[in-house]
Amino acid sequence: MNANNIYEMIEYAVQAFHGRPAISYKENKVLITKKYEEVYADIQKTAVWLEEHHWTGKKAALVGAMDYEWAIAYLTLLYTGSVIMTMNYTQEVSDLEEELRLLDPDVLLYGKIDDAQQEWAKQLTSVETASMYEAKRTPAPDIAGKYELDPELPACVLFTTGSTGKKKGVMLAQKNMMALCASAEFAYDGVRFDKGMAPVPNYHLMKLGSIISMFSNGIEQYITSNTKRTLKDIHEQKPAFIQAVPLVLEALRNILENDTSEGTIAEKFQKFNGHLHTVSVGGSFSDPKTIDFFEDLGVHIISGYGMTEAVVITNERAGRKKKGSVGEVTPGVHIRIVDGEVQVSGQSVMLGYYKDQAATDEVFEDGWLKTGDLGYVDDEGYLYLTGRKKNLIILANGENVSPEELEGQLRKCPMISEALVREKDGHLHAEVQSVENAVTADIDDYIRDMNRKNVLCKRIVSWELRETPFEKINAMKIRRN
């Protein structure tokens, strides 16, 4: 695809996939399917509405549950060179107020929000506000608007929350959004023209990426309005392709393994969804046991590596997987390893942190983004991650230990669902969360056997069984204190 920005991408996709379904969704329990040219017409109407209010090219905050109108507002803002600022609509009004203060947008466009949030939005005086549903009433334009957009033009501000809990606004450019489309073209072999789903909240980068990458690659995207309906939607809509966090795969596996009806797991899977053949999974650690479970059923699992600050870095491809690797570097991205740390440059790297030059300067070195991840690249160009630089445990004897490596070993135990390794009194200590009906003595035996295979500095001296789940951050990663 020869496109340098989202305007060019949408123009290309509408021509390339004319007559094909682009977006489907349910309205009043009735399935509605919009073809590419119909979506394009709605984008044009929304663009005229934005122009009439002088909001094109401005900073626009979006808040509301996922629906077709939200998707159109999002696509149109990117198409017209505006800067999108997504907000977490599940928050209380007081949290939304704080987020709005940090974002400082020119306009707030709200969609499906609760009564208290809507009252708050309507009474705002610090920013212009409007319901995104108003665009429906705009007459269709006779001539489509044209927008020349610099690839370096800011396109999106997304909050990222690290393990410390501090929010940072990541500024992404048009070129970063296009990197997501290029990555999909690179990795999603055999998915074009299929029906897809991305049951992820619309304030998450994965969802924002899925909307444009599916649109640019001819994939019909079914819009899920409620992530709590995810499994029901997978069953009813029977998508061939899913883009999701590992939690979705684990929940689907749990349903199949606990199905008491007659038949093999494969037969039950065919009955639940006989079309699913590809899953792109990311956002947090994927349990190898779950990956193997679905690959044994014939589902191709695509894993990759990226972060909000560098939207996509590597991807796995069909027939080119390597055990333990996060895949090959995607086109337009460059990697170097400095003192064990993965550093990245290229079209997927952010412009910087929003209104925080000091934080931006801290993560860049000579134009390279310091990811904070430790890893290495083999002689065939495959990247392997070994841990987080800031999580390194320095023992009393000066040895450096990556807790992620040991946590990965612990999760291989069938009785352990999650694990966290930290330093305690000068030695390594593990907190583990077990599966239901696990035997403590068996976990202890597993850890003892693991210790015998590891070098002295990587041996877990003490461990404890957690009674409550680990606290998680947005990407479903365990919060480290």
Side-chain angles (χ1 to χ4, degrees), residues 4 67 76 104 108 129-130 132 139 148 182 208 217 245 263 268 299 301 322 325 349 351 354 376 383 407 441 475:
N4 297 307
D67 60 11
T76 308
D104 187 28
L108 171 70
T129 65
M132 59 184 69
E148 294 186 7
L208 302 184
N217 283 278
V245 294
K268 293 171 185 176
V299 179
I301 306 295
K322 271 195 173 185
S325 167
V349 177
L351 296 173
Y354 183 59
Y376 63 94
L383 177 65
E407 289 159 5

Side-chain angles (χ1 to χ4, degrees), residues 407-420:
E407 289 159 5
Q409 292 178 13
L410 288 167
R411 282 190 297 260
K412 289 180 181 178
C413 173
M415 291 155 290
I416 296 174
S417 59
E418 292 188 299
L420 179 75

Side-chain angles (χ1 to χ4, degrees), residues 133-145:
Y133 301 116
E134 289 179 19
K136 282 182 174 181
R137 296 189 285 273
T138 303
D142 295 326
I143 302 172

Side-chain angles (χ1 to χ4, degrees), residues 361-392:
D361 293 341
E362 192 177 326
V363 297
F364 279 97
E365 184 176 293
D366 302 325
W368 290 78
L369 176 74
K370 298 184 285 186
T371 67
D373 290 317
L374 301 171
Y376 63 94
V377 179
D378 70 13
D379 54 7
E380 292 184 276
Y382 287 80
L383 177 65
Y384 298 78
L385 298 179
T386 57
R388 287 288 290 168
K389 189 174 182 179
K390 67 180 181 182
N391 295 339
L392 275 178

